[in-house]
Amino acid sequence: MNKLPDLEAWAIFAAVAEQRSFSGAAATLGLSKATVSKAVARLEARLGQSLFHRTSRRLSVTEAALPLAERARAMLAEAEGAEEAARDGAASPAGRIRVAAPMSFGLAAVAPVLAGFLDEYRQVEIDLNLSDSRTDIIAGGFDLALRIGEPPDSSLRIRRLCAVPFHIVASPLYLARHGRPVHAAELARHRLLGYSNAPGPWRLYGPDDEAVMVRPVGPLLANSGDALVPALMAGLGIARLPNFIVGLHLESKALEAILPDWTPPPASLHLLTPPGTLRPARVEALIAWLARHLRD
């Protein structure tokens, strides 16, 4: 008869892979380093392969073990969710949640929402990672991620939360110097500031379903939308930016939305979680909170 899976060893392997350290995993799990080392050795013997490259200064997952690390994290998350589901909410949600979000959106919208959540759920801790790069939430050990744009084609669980409107904006100074375009095709003759995380031409839709594509060519290309705002204020160009970056500047009249009859298609805000049907109660609580408070 086949042996049952060594679930303890798989859980410890997942922790070591995440921490990139036997000592770090031991501290996280509340175990001795010897216990962690023996569990990994036990799993390696059972699988017949090395799971880590070990040097005096560095520990890294072997290429063959990378997919195993992802599955181990998924198994651990599923087990945690099963235990919390079994408790049936007898205790308040508690524990640590790792969250990934875009930098500008995270500062403008996510951080204020998390403050209210942490005030409501005093036993929960949140580790918030803000980056405009495409974070691998499985490899990074994240419980959930927020992303703007097309969701990845993957095994991740994906939930659309809301639309994210974009505006074509310029400063009054720029418009006074270079004129105000009245048709989207005229943008090709203007200085356009680009966002490198969303490369490619701008697509705009106008009256009678007319569509125009314009490739931004200008003095500044940045991987942060916020980095384009000073150049906009200085009258150096026109930009296509989301409302969460330029909304307050539009209200103060420091920037103006131009081409009112031409609209860029809105992006969508998606919430991504690792595969699996069960999630810890703390993660379910945060998902519900984000869905409720980020709709606007």
Side-chain angles (χ1 to χ4, degrees), residues 193 220 225-236 249:
L193 309 180
L220 180 62
D226 282 314
L228 301 179
V229 173
L232 281 171
M233 298 292 197
L236 298 180
H249 301 298

Side-chain angles (χ1 to χ4, degrees), residues 166-169 175 180-184 187 204-207 256-264:
F166 276 67
H167 307 284
I168 306 298
V169 297
L175 298 174
R180 182 185 298 270
V182 296
H183 191 283
L187 289 173
L204 302 173
Y205 296 94
E256 296 182 29
I258 62 174
L259 296 170
D261 295 330
W262 292 84
T263 58

